[in-house]
Amino acid sequence: MSEPTWDDLETWGKRAVTWGVGYHRSKRDLPVRAQVAPGDIAAQLPKAPPENGEAMEAIFDDFEKIIMPGMTHWQHPRFFAYFCTNATPPSVVADYLIATMSAQCMLWQTSPAATELETRVLDWLRQALGLPDGFHGVIQGTASEATLAAVLTMRERTLGWAGNEAGLPGQHPLRIYTTDQVHTSIDRAIWIAGIGQENLIRIPTSGPLKSMDTVALNTAIETDRAAGLLPAGIITCVGGTSTGACDIVSDVAVVAKRQNLFLHVDAAWAGNAMLCPELRDLWAGSELADSIVFNPYKWIGGQFDGSVHFVRSPEDLTRTLAYHPEYLKTHGADGFINYSEWSVPLGRRFRALKLWFLIRAYGLDGLRNRIRNHIAWAETLCEKIRADYRFEIVTDPILSLFSFRATGLDDAGQLDFVERINSDGRIYLTQTNVDGKIAIRVQVSQFDTTKADVMLIHDVIGELL
Ligand code: PLP
């Protein structure tokens, strides 16, 4: 059997495209969450790798027969779980081109177009989000990586840029302030940066948005300083994962400035909505932050993966992360941005191409229309569920995310109910914990969802209760 060559890409590329078109045409008929038991897929896979190459035909057949039944369909219009990872036809085409070239875009000279497009597209997004021109963008792999880069910068800035060299032993503990509404990526950044979970200080929250109490924040920082600890930074969230919690960033920014602390804003999901000027009150004050992250794949179709990270001081970021061994020096081509110096991993995919295709194909207006529709439909659905005596609303919509509970069921009953919903397959919802009790989340941000898809949630939960 002959090995595949690039000439075969024509056949298999066409086959993959035809498969993809069929998949997207029929995805509504698939159960949203995979309906397999643990081990079902593994049981069909050989335990050892093949010694000899196999025919592409056989591999493709197995992909359809073995792999596809074990997939949860994140592009399903009735995916209302977690947050979405939206793909679009233009971003898929771009991803295909990226894979075909498989360029490693770590330095300007390793693909000048990748660097220059990244700079330009991120500046488009900065403008689109209404951020001032003092922000500079970089695409990180994920929001977790962006937050890690921000936490490392906080650490180095506080230690006078000596932490990378000297390590943390012997230092006074660094302190980072946040709330209990932030994503676990913040905890993990703290672990990886060597700061330690016990130095991640949870400031109490209050109000409908579960916002950080900035008086308590200021007091905590001053108390720590007086005790000889080293306050290093504040991490706020706009659109927390559980119920969409939002800090009042402008108030937090006042404390950050007064205390001379680095401020990072995690707006991984909600940042997308800031494309709409009328929604920007939700993150007012973010323009005063040192670092902001949002994930275009979580709502506007930016195609997983790739997180947009804006920083006020690239100098601080690169002072924290850049390293210049001889094999990475760019003699004669210096003075350009080398984005690998802005991120933890050295290797970089050409992710800007996806955003360029996306933004040009839909225009900002096409993306904003979706966000506005999703928010309106989520609000309509929430009112419908609120009016139904069988359910109670636990948290009101923040953008297009709210949570509810079936009246009269205990936590175990709510979890059983979620499982019944997801085994049914027409919709996909996930649970969270609100003030110590289970609630069921609904988030509407799937790119192809319709009002009818969203309204079906009420029919399905009513039928399966
Ligand atoms: N921040 C928030 C608010 C999130 O909801 C998530 C994931 O859902 C993350 C950060 C982590 O995102 P990533 O998977 O890009 O690291």
Side-chain angles (χ1 to χ4, degrees), residues 82-83 141-145 147 182-183 185-186 237-241 266-269 293 295 297-298 304 307:
Y82 309 103
F83 287 129
T142 61
S144 306
E145 284 175 32
T147 296
V182 292
H183 187 260
S185 52
I186 280 76
C237 76
V238 175
T241 318
D266 179 0
W269 164 70
V293 63
N295 285 358
Y297 62 78
K298 275 189 165 38
F304 185 71
S307 282

Side-chain angles (χ1 to χ4, degrees), residues 13 16 65 72 219 227 240 374 454:
K65 276 205 306 271
T72 290
T219 307
H374 294 166
V454 176

Side-chain angles (χ1 to χ4, degrees), residues 154-166:
M154 292 176 194
R155 185 188 81 182
E156 287 307 294
R157 193 172 164 268
T158 309
L159 296 178
W161 315 101
N164 282 339
E165 194 60 32

